[in-house]
Amino acid sequence: ENQAIGLDFDCDDMYIDSNGKSALKDFGFRKQKQVNAQKLSHLQRQFLRKVKNSKNQEKARIKLAKFEEHIANCRKDWIEKETNRLTDEYQLIGIENLSIQGIMKGSKNAKNYQDIAWSTFVGKLEQKAQHKNCQIVKVDRFFASSQLCHCCGFKNPDVQKFHLQNWTCPKCGTEHQRDENAALNIKSEAIRKV
C-alpha cells in the first residue's frame, strides 16, 4: 500500500494523486504557456508586424523561436524531475490510459491539455520505470474511477451525469472529493491487476 500510488489526470492540476496532493499545488507544476502568455503574445505580434521577408522579421522570428524553446525546456525539466521523484519513491504507479487527442477534439479547453503534455509525462514515467524498481500499470480508460466509492465499491452514475466535484456515498455515507477518490480507485485497480 505504501509503495503504490494512483495518479488521476486533471486538466487544471496536471494530476491528483491518491494521497490527495496535486502537481500544481504541491510539486511545483506550472502551465508554461499560460505563465508566459503575455510575453509570448507580445513576441508573436512583433513578428507579425514586421515587413515580410525582411531582416527585422527574421530577427523577430528567432527571438520568438528561442522563447518557445525556453517554454518547452521548462516543461521538460519539470517532467524529468517529477518522473524521477515518483519512480524513486514508489514501486507501483497506477495511471489512466487516456487518449488526450480524443479528449482535445471535443473540448473547448484544448490549449490546456496541450500545455500539460500528459503523454510526454507518461512516456518518461515508463522509460524511467524500466531502469528502476518500479512498475507502471495503465488502468483502462473506461474504468469508472470517479464514480466508484473507494470504501465500499458502490457505483454512483450521478457523479459523471451532473459533473459533481464532491459527493457522499449513499451506501456507506463516506464523503468524497471526485479527483482524490478517482486516484484512490486507480491505485486499488493497479494493485489488483498486479
Side-chain angles (χ1 to χ4, degrees), residues 3 10 13 29 35 41 48 62-63 75 83-84 93 97 109 112 115 148 153 156 160 162-163 177 180 194:
Q3 289 299 310
D10 186 87
D13 292 24
F29 171 72
V35 170
S41 61
L48 292 169
I62 290 165
K63 215 173 186 180
R75 193 186 293 119
T83 49
N84 264 335
I93 301 169
N97 187 15
N109 206 5
N112 262 348
D115 208 1
L148 293 170
N156 186 358
Q160 193 167 7
F162 302 114
H163 303 286
Q177 197 283 327
E180 196 179 324
V194 169

Side-chain angles (χ1 to χ4, degrees), residues 106-121:
S107 173
K108 293 175 184 175
N109 206 5
K111 203 175 186 180
N112 262 348
Y113 290 114
Q114 199 174 18
D115 208 1
I116 286 169
W118 179 253
S119 53
T120 308
F121 177 74

Side-chain angles (χ1 to χ4, degrees), residues 50-67:
K50 303 297 178 193
V51 177
K52 209 172 182 182
N53 299 325
S54 67
K55 282 186 179 179
N56 282 341
Q57 191 194 39
E58 185 59 19
K59 282 179 193 174
R61 186 194 67 78
I62 290 165
K63 215 173 186 180
L64 176 63
K66 278 183 179 176
F67 190 65

Side-chain angles (χ1 to χ4, degrees), residues 147-174:
Q147 296 173 52
L148 293 170
C149 170
H150 72 268
C151 297
C152 67
F154 176 80
K155 188 176 179 180
N156 186 358
D158 289 351
V159 176
Q160 193 167 7
K161 196 176 176 183
F162 302 114
H163 303 286
L164 303 174
Q165 282 304 311
N166 296 296
W167 60 284
T168 306
C169 176
K171 193 175 179 184
C172 66
T174 312

Side-chain angles (χ1 to χ4, degrees), residues 65-183:
K66 278 183 179 176
F67 190 65
E68 283 185 334
E69 188 183 16
H70 166 73
I71 287 170
N73 287 341
C74 287
R75 193 186 293 119
K76 279 179 196 168
D77 179 60
W78 184 85
I79 287 172
E80 284 286 341
K81 287 173 182 170
E82 186 59 12
T83 49
N84 264 335
R85 184 190 71 79
L86 286 166
T87 50
D88 286 340
E89 284 183 24
Y90 299 99
Q91 288 178 8
L92 177 68
I93 301 169
I95 50 172
E96 287 178 296
N97 187 15
L98 295 173
S99 166
I100 297 296
Q101 282 188 327
I103 295 169
M104 279 167 65
K105 279 177 188 172
S107 173
K108 293 175 184 175
N109 206 5
K111 203 175 186 180
N112 262 348
Y113 290 114
Q114 199 174 18
D115 208 1
I116 286 169
W118 179 253
S119 53
T120 308
F121 177 74
V122 171
K124 278 284 170 197
L125 263 181
E126 289 176 323
Q127 187 184 335
K128 287 180 181 177
Q130 286 175 355
H131 306 292
K132 296 177 183 180
N133 187 25
C134 185
Q135 192 175 354
I136 307 296
V137 176
K138 286 187 174 179
V139 175
D140 188 63
R141 71 186 72 170
F142 301 111
F143 175 65
S145 57
S146 56
Q147 296 173 52
L148 293 170
C149 170
H150 72 268
C151 297
C152 67
F154 176 80
K155 188 176 179 180
N156 186 358
D158 289 351
V159 176
Q160 193 167 7
K161 196 176 176 183
F162 302 114
H163 303 286
L164 303 174
Q165 282 304 311
N166 296 296
W167 60 284
T168 306
C169 176
K171 193 175 179 184
C172 66
T174 312
E175 287 187 17
H176 298 296
Q177 197 283 327
R178 182 189 173 121
D179 296 320
E180 196 179 324
N181 178 56

